[in-house]
């Protein structure tokens, strides 16, 4: 089995470059923000970070394909880098420090492309998380200064901490009743949002999280970090991996109950 460690090292180099670009424009008074056709914001920093990553990959991995949130798909083949230059753009443009660059390498296999490398870098929080298939998940300042991640062992909903982004998406999908029933059963709920709750599941700080509508670039990197930390990452339809247009992540022990509540009246 390939060890993917060279690809992981490259992903860290890409994240370093993106961090420098995004941090430089964070809270800039002259930051330019546009509205995309789907009515979500995109800043000049989103575009610059993705262009930077694409440029690095074009030189270092010219045969690999790239899928990015801002510029779509480029290239074909069995290996595809999936990029979200700033996950949490709404936070970024308002000066909220909860945003990250997500970088994943996906490889063709059974059931389609699957993530084999993931880096989640949140420079305004001073945090970075990463994983490579078969090598575990880690968090730290660098590859050599890191601690291994492990999901929690909480097995009862009444002891569990559940995180989400907002209520509106659950309501729009007709899943709000089940979602609210779940929040009444658990010990604690918090709306951290975006990449962060998945990383907290991976490090055992919370026990489960879910979002009703996501894109592949929102999930590819977070999915492998969660699974390499011993957790479970699926769509709301229970399909493993980042392919369902939505996500549920847990320590594994609570996953069936998590999906049961979110699907109970759907």
């Amino acid at each position: 089995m390939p060890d993917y460690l060279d690809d992981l090292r490259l992903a860290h180099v890409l994240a370093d470059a993106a961090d420098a670009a995004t941090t430089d424009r964070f809270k800039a008074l002259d930051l330019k923000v546009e509205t995309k056709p789907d009515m979500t914001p995109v800043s000049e920093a989103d575009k610059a970070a993705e262009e930077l990553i694409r440029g690095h990959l074009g030189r270092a991995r010219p045969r690999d394909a790239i899928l990015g949130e801002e510029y779509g798909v480029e290239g074909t083949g069995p290996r595809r880098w999936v990029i979200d230059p700033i996950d949490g753009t709404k936070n970024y443009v308002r000066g909220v420090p909860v945003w990250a660059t997500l970088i994943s390498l996906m490889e063709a296999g059974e059931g389609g492309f699957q993530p084999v490398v993931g880096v989640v870098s949140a420079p305004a929080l001073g945090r970075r998380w990463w994983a490579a298939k078969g090598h575990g998940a880690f968090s730290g300042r660098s590859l050599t200064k890191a601690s291994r991640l492990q999901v929690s062992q909480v097995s009862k909903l009444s002891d569990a901490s559940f995180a989400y982004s907002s209520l509106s998406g659950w309501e729009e999908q007709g899943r709000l009743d089940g979602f609210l029933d779940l929040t009444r059963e658990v010990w604690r709920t918090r709306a951290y949002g975006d990449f962060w709750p998945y990383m907290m599941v991976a490090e055992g700080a919370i026990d489960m999280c879910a979002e009703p509508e996501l894109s592949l670039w929102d999930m590819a990197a977070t999915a492998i970090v969660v699974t390499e930390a011993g957790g479970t990452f699926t769509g709301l339809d229970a399909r493993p991996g980042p392919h369902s247009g939505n996500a549920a992540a847990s320590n594994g022990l609570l996953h069936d109950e998590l999906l049961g509540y979110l699907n109970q009246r759907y």
Side-chain angles (χ1 to χ4, degrees):
M1 185 180 75
D3 67 16
Y4 302 109
L5 293 181
D6 282 344
D7 295 309
L8 178 61
R9 283 188 281 269
L10 174 60
H12 275 273
V13 172
L14 301 175
D16 288 343
D19 285 356
T22 54
T23 303
D24 182 61
R25 299 299 292 155
F26 185 49
K27 295 187 178 181
L29 296 179
D30 60 345
L31 181 72
K32 295 177 182 177
V33 181
E34 303 170 7
T35 300
K36 294 192 286 188
D38 64 1
M39 302 308 293
T40 60
V42 58
S43 74
E44 62 181 86
D46 291 80
K47 294 180 178 180
E50 184 168 324
E51 288 170 354
L52 196 62
I53 293 170
R54 284 175 179 269
H56 276 280
L57 285 172
R59 294 185 293 273
R61 296 289 190 274
R63 296 182 179 179
D64 293 352
I66 305 171
L67 169 64
E69 179 176 9
E70 307 307 335
Y71 294 107
V73 179
E74 177 183 346
T76 60
R79 288 164 46 100
R80 176 183 292 175
W81 294 86
V82 180
I83 310 299
D84 189 344
I86 299 179
D87 182 53
T89 298
K90 292 177 183 177
N91 284 344
Y92 184 88
V93 301
R94 288 296 302 272
V96 178
V98 183
W99 48 271
T101 295
L102 312 184
I103 300 169
S104 177
L105 172 63
M106 301 186 74
E107 200 167 71
E110 293 184 15
F113 282 87
Q114 300 295 336
V116 294
V117 167
V119 172
V120 176
S121 191
L125 295 176
R127 299 293 309 276
R128 183 178 290 185
W129 304 261
W130 63 88
K133 184 178 180 180
H135 290 277
F138 296 84
S139 179
R141 294 287 184 179
S142 67
L143 283 165
T144 56
K145 296 180 180 179
S147 57
R148 188 157 189 157
L149 303 180
Q150 181 65 46
V151 296
S152 75
Q153 295 299 304
V154 172
S155 59
K156 295 180 180 179
L157 281 182
S158 58
D159 296 329
S161 180
F162 169 58
Y164 59 96
S165 286
S166 67
L167 297 179
S168 58
W170 300 103
E171 186 172 30
E172 290 166 5
Q173 290 194 4
R175 300 180 189 265
L176 185 59
D177 287 343
F179 172 89
L180 292 175
D181 285 347
L182 174 63
T183 66
R184 296 182 185 107
E185 292 297 319
V186 298
W187 167 63
R188 194 170 193 240
T189 62
R190 284 293 183 272
Y192 298 108
D194 299 308
F195 68 94
W196 204 10
Y198 301 96
M199 298 302 94
M200 287 192 278
V201 167
E203 58 192 19
I206 65 173
D207 310 299
M208 53 187 182
C209 63
E211 288 181 273
E213 187 174 2
L214 292 169
S215 297
L216 179 61
W217 47 75
D218 298 313
M219 298 183 282
T222 60
I224 189 168
V225 174
V226 169
T227 54
E228 284 291 322
T232 300
F233 190 108
T234 72
L236 298 176
D237 58 2
R239 180 184 179 187
H243 303 289
S244 302
N246 46 49
S250 77
N251 62 9
L253 302 174
L254 299 163
H255 208 77
D256 288 345
E257 289 180 280
L258 172 62
L259 293 180
Y261 273 95
L262 296 179
N263 289 311
Q264 68 178 5
R265 303 182 194 179
Y266 181 59

